[in-house]
Amino acid sequence: MPKQTSKQKLTELFQLDETSSIPIWLQLKNRFTYLITSGYYLPGDQLPTVRGLAADIEINYNTVSKVYQSLEEDGFIVSKRRQGAFVCDVSDKPGVDVSVTAEIVTSEYLQRCQELGMSLEDVEVRFATSMKQAKLKRDREARAQANANQATGNGRIIEFNPAGEESGQQQTGTGA
């Protein structure tokens, strides 16, 4: 498999929907917010340059600049002149946690599904089906891992007797 270029990675990481009613700059900001709060970007990580990101994902330089300014105003990043933009530690920032990120992602999901013509009831059925499939997959993978561990002896349970010796071992001595 050929190695991905940084442009390909960024294009996949920042897939934007030009047909969405959500403005491009807000889609990009939401994506950055998610990537920062989810731990993809860690505190101190340097973000792509404004010009480089704009060129790689083929959007206007001013759009990316607006996103970076907004992220900086919200305390997610800090810009250092001639050095770039760096991720801030947001772990203690009020309202920044997985639930906030999940809410953003869920809202975007619902909106995109509705833009596809799906009713809320259709979305609910599709989501329930996907959840069932994900749980089945997780359970299958857990069983396969347990079977693999059992076959290789990993995860073996060793019982100890009250004397502190492994059971199944022969004891030596007189027993007195």
Side-chain angles (χ1 to χ4, degrees):
M1 182 176 194
K3 188 174 179 179
Q4 282 186 320
T5 65
S6 62
K7 179 178 179 173
Q8 289 170 325
K9 289 177 187 175
L10 288 175
T11 302
E12 287 180 16
L13 196 58
F14 297 104
Q15 290 183 356
L16 303 173
D17 182 4
E18 294 180 8
T19 64
S20 173
S21 60
I22 300 172
I24 293 292
W25 81 270
L26 189 54
Q27 290 180 50
L28 185 58
K29 180 183 176 187
N30 288 344
R31 185 65 179 155
F32 266 116
T33 301
Y34 170 75
L35 292 170
I36 292 168
T37 58
S38 69
Y40 180 86
Y41 283 121
L42 299 173
D45 282 353
Q46 185 172 11
L47 297 181
T49 65
V50 172
R51 290 187 193 281
L53 182 60
D56 287 347
I57 63 174
E58 299 175 350
I59 62 172
N60 189 291
Y61 163 86
N62 292 325
T63 302
V64 178
S65 181
K66 179 179 180 177
V67 169
Y68 277 32
Q69 287 173 355
S70 182
L71 288 168
E72 187 164 17
E73 288 169 6
D74 292 347
F76 288 98
I77 66 171
V78 61
S79 294
K80 297 178 183 175
R81 188 169 174 87
R82 297 189 182 270
Q83 293 179 19
F86 298 86
V87 176
C88 295
D89 183 3
V90 295
S91 60
D92 60 349
K93 189 173 175 63
V96 175
D97 60 17
V98 173
S99 64
V100 172
T101 302
E103 188 175 326
I104 291 169
V105 172
T106 302
S107 294
E108 289 177 355
Y109 168 73
L110 287 173
Q111 183 164 359
R112 290 187 77 180
C113 288
Q114 287 177 311
E115 289 171 356
L116 291 171
M118 297 174 72
S119 69
L120 289 176
E121 291 75 17
D122 294 336
V123 174
E124 185 175 29
V125 169
R126 180 70 242 155
F127 187 79
T129 301
S130 294
M131 283 296 292
K132 286 179 187 175
Q133 290 171 343
K135 287 178 181 179
L136 287 171
K137 180 180 178 186
R138 176 196 63 195
D139 294 345
R140 268 193 313 270
E141 289 173 352
R143 280 192 304 274
Q145 183 64 44
N147 289 340
N149 286 344
Q150 190 175 25
T152 61
N154 293 338
R156 184 181 67 180
I157 297 174
I158 299 174
E159 295 180 20
F160 292 91
N161 66 25
E165 299 174 18
E166 290 186 33
S167 63
Q169 285 185 336
Q170 292 183 344
Q171 295 183 1
T172 59
T174 61

